[in-house]
Amino acid sequence: MTPRTAATSYDDLVTRVLAGAYGPDPAGLRISVAFSTRQAVRHAGRSGGYRNEVLSLRLGAAVGSCAVEPGTLTDPAVEACVGADVAGLLAHELLPVRVAALDAYLMHVLPHASALGARPFPLPAGSSLEKSRARARAVVELIDAPPGARVLVVGVVNSLLEAVRERGMTYVPCDLKGGTTEWGEPVVTDALAALDRCDAVLASGMTLGNGTFEALRTHAAARGIPLVMFAQTGSAVLPRFLGAGVSAVCAEPYPFFWLDGGPGTLHRYAGPPAASDRSPAASGAAA
């Protein structure tokens, strides 16, 4: 089994990790630090805002992360991860803990590197909106679809919707929370129901943490359409599905772009080469 061999499902990936297919036995590795990061944001010039909360687990030099619904993760749940072995956390009752533990393990044994297909993408310094828009362009460049294509965007991020429009494509915004976009467009809540009328899918790694990723991956694979993942959640997990329903990944391990105004690095897998891969990105704006 090699790191480039695609996992056939999320459960298959966990089984391989537990069997030592990617590295040391996770039962012998313990989490040293567990923490949550909470964010509330309203970008300048935007009419609305949003909140994020992310669970992160540190294993050696690696940090694995999984977004959670704000307010649902208790302090005792976070603290109980400290000192726990990774194998035990992969069987934890809370799905976000399981995902963060898997991400931490894979970041530890398979960090983002060119030998494994990762291409670094420099994210410029700037305001929260500038960095969000720069990231959005880096993500949307990975969609292998022509102008006029309709993209199902799972996990509504306004900067991503802007970037899709800039590419001459249309979109169907989808999020479990529903509501409307910044521009008053209705947000659908059932991704699978919308998938049949779309030509490509752009989905958040948060689908790992809420349990919707596998259904989305299998449906996209059955339709034979591109599935691009933008991943703060599971940045080291999702590249393991390249060629098994996932066509490209824009991986963004902790610390995320919204934590400070300095430069950062994204790691892109698959997708066509872009000039921005060879020289620093010039400018941008936000999420």
Side-chain angles (χ1 to χ4, degrees):
M1 190 71 63
T2 69
R4 288 183 179 275
T5 304
T8 58
S9 69
Y10 181 84
D11 288 343
D12 173 56
L13 179 58
V14 174
T15 298
R16 293 183 187 193
V17 166
L18 290 170
Y22 297 111
D25 184 353
L29 300 175
R30 296 187 177 274
I31 297 299
S32 59
V33 180
F35 59 98
S36 64
T37 307
R38 300 173 184 175
Q39 171 209 31
V41 60
R42 181 173 174 178
H43 298 303
R46 290 272 171 85
S47 62
Y50 57 90
R51 294 172 59 210
N52 285 329
E53 185 170 352
V54 181
L55 168 67
S56 296
L57 304 178
R58 183 160 183 173
L59 176 62
V63 176
S65 298
C66 182
V68 299
E69 190 65 26
T72 61
L73 187 67
T74 66
D75 289 342
V78 176
E79 292 162 7
C81 295
V82 179
D85 68 85
V86 173
L89 293 180
L90 291 175
H92 197 279
E93 62 179 351
L94 298 178
L95 178 56
V97 173
R98 300 198 298 271
V99 171
L102 180 62
D103 195 37
Y105 178 86
L106 290 171
M107 278 290 294
H108 179 64
V109 299
L110 297 173
H112 301 297
S114 59
L116 296 177
R119 292 180 294 145
F121 183 99
L123 199 63
S127 70
S128 63
L129 185 58
E130 288 169 342
K131 293 189 72 174
S132 176
R133 285 182 171 148
R135 182 193 71 149
R137 287 194 290 271
V139 171
V140 170
E141 282 180 2
L142 295 173
I143 302 174
D144 185 14
R150 178 181 290 146
V151 181
L152 176 63
V153 181
V154 183
V156 171
V157 178
N158 288 313
S159 291
L160 288 174
L161 301 182
E162 286 180 331
V164 170
R165 288 199 303 266
E166 288 173 1
R167 284 275 309 273
M169 297 181 285
T170 62
Y171 53 77
V172 176
C174 179
D175 199 288
L176 291 175
K177 295 185 180 70
T180 60
T181 69
E182 174 76 11
W183 304 277
E185 302 152 325
V187 175
V188 304
T189 58
D190 188 339
L192 299 185
L195 193 145
D196 284 343
R197 55 193 174 97
C198 294
D199 306 300
V201 181
L202 178 61
S204 168
M206 292 175 67
T207 54
L208 284 170
N210 63 27
T212 60
F213 168 72
E214 269 302 301
L216 193 64
R217 182 187 67 81
T218 56
H219 278 68
R223 289 256 346 262
I225 62 176
L227 170 58
V228 176
M229 303 297 302
F230 57 100
Q232 293 178 343
T233 291
S235 80
V237 174
L238 289 163
R240 310 282 76 79
F241 296 100
L242 287 165
V246 174
S247 57
V249 178
C250 187
E252 185 182 355
Y254 195 93
F256 311 128
F257 79 86
W258 37 265
L259 284 168
D260 68 58
T265 303
L266 307 174
H267 305 275
R268 304 199 301 182
Y269 292 79
S276 47
D277 287 328
R278 299 185 293 272
S279 61
S283 62

